[in-house]
Amino acid sequence: MANIKIERLNHLIQQEISIILMEEVRDEDLKFVTITGCDTSSDYSYCKVYFTVFDEEKKDTVLEALKGASSFIRSKLAERIDIRHTPELKFIYDMSIEYGEHIDEIIDKIHEGE
């Protein structure tokens, strides 16, 4: 039962952060951030927010901008989501897309050898 609640909350947080970044944040670098997932702790105190960026060269500057804007994003989440305690946000760059591309390259090299 609790896992379903956390999954729903993760999905809701992901949606709302995406909307907040598109509509309410002034930093232009943050407009092109894609939120790929969220992982909220079982006590709802922390939430890891995974993101990717279109331009990989800007991932470090975007990470710093997200860390700087995390309190603003958290306050907007508190207004939009009806939970007792809004979790503290930690932004993490999502490496899964790069990892998937690397695996695709390996598979292509294997098939070239056949």
Side-chain angles (χ1 to χ4, degrees):
M1 179 79 174
N3 289 338
I4 294 172
K5 287 182 180 180
I6 290 176
E7 287 179 28
R8 285 183 191 160
L9 181 63
N10 287 337
H11 184 70
L12 185 60
I13 289 173
Q14 181 179 352
Q15 281 182 322
E16 293 299 327
I17 289 177
S18 296
I19 293 169
I20 291 168
L21 289 176
M22 283 184 354
E23 296 177 354
E24 298 188 28
V25 173
R26 293 181 187 153
D27 191 350
E28 289 299 318
D29 288 337
L30 298 181
K31 302 258 184 213
F32 299 104
V33 172
T34 303
I35 304 299
T36 58
C38 293
D39 187 21
T40 306
S41 63
S42 59
D43 63 351
Y44 304 111
S45 61
Y46 294 98
C47 180
K48 295 178 185 176
V49 182
Y50 297 95
F51 73 94
T52 60
V53 185
F54 182 70
D55 185 9
E56 290 185 25
E57 295 174 358
K58 292 185 177 183
K59 70 181 180 182
D60 292 329
T61 58
V62 168
L63 179 59
E64 291 302 316
L66 283 170
K67 285 180 182 179
S70 65
S71 60
F72 172 76
I73 295 169
R74 185 177 179 203
S75 67
K76 290 296 180 181
L77 272 179
E79 294 172 5
R80 294 171 178 236
I81 298 176
D82 188 26
I83 55 176
R84 184 176 298 162
H85 178 72
T86 305
E88 187 175 322
L89 305 175
K90 180 177 182 182
F91 291 95
I92 301 171
Y93 184 73
D94 191 0
M95 302 290 283
S96 63
I97 294 173
E98 293 174 9
Y99 182 73
E101 290 173 356
H102 177 69
I103 296 297
D104 285 341
E105 290 173 6
I106 292 172
I107 291 172
D108 289 340
K109 287 180 184 178
I110 292 172
H111 287 297
E112 286 176 2
E114 292 179 354

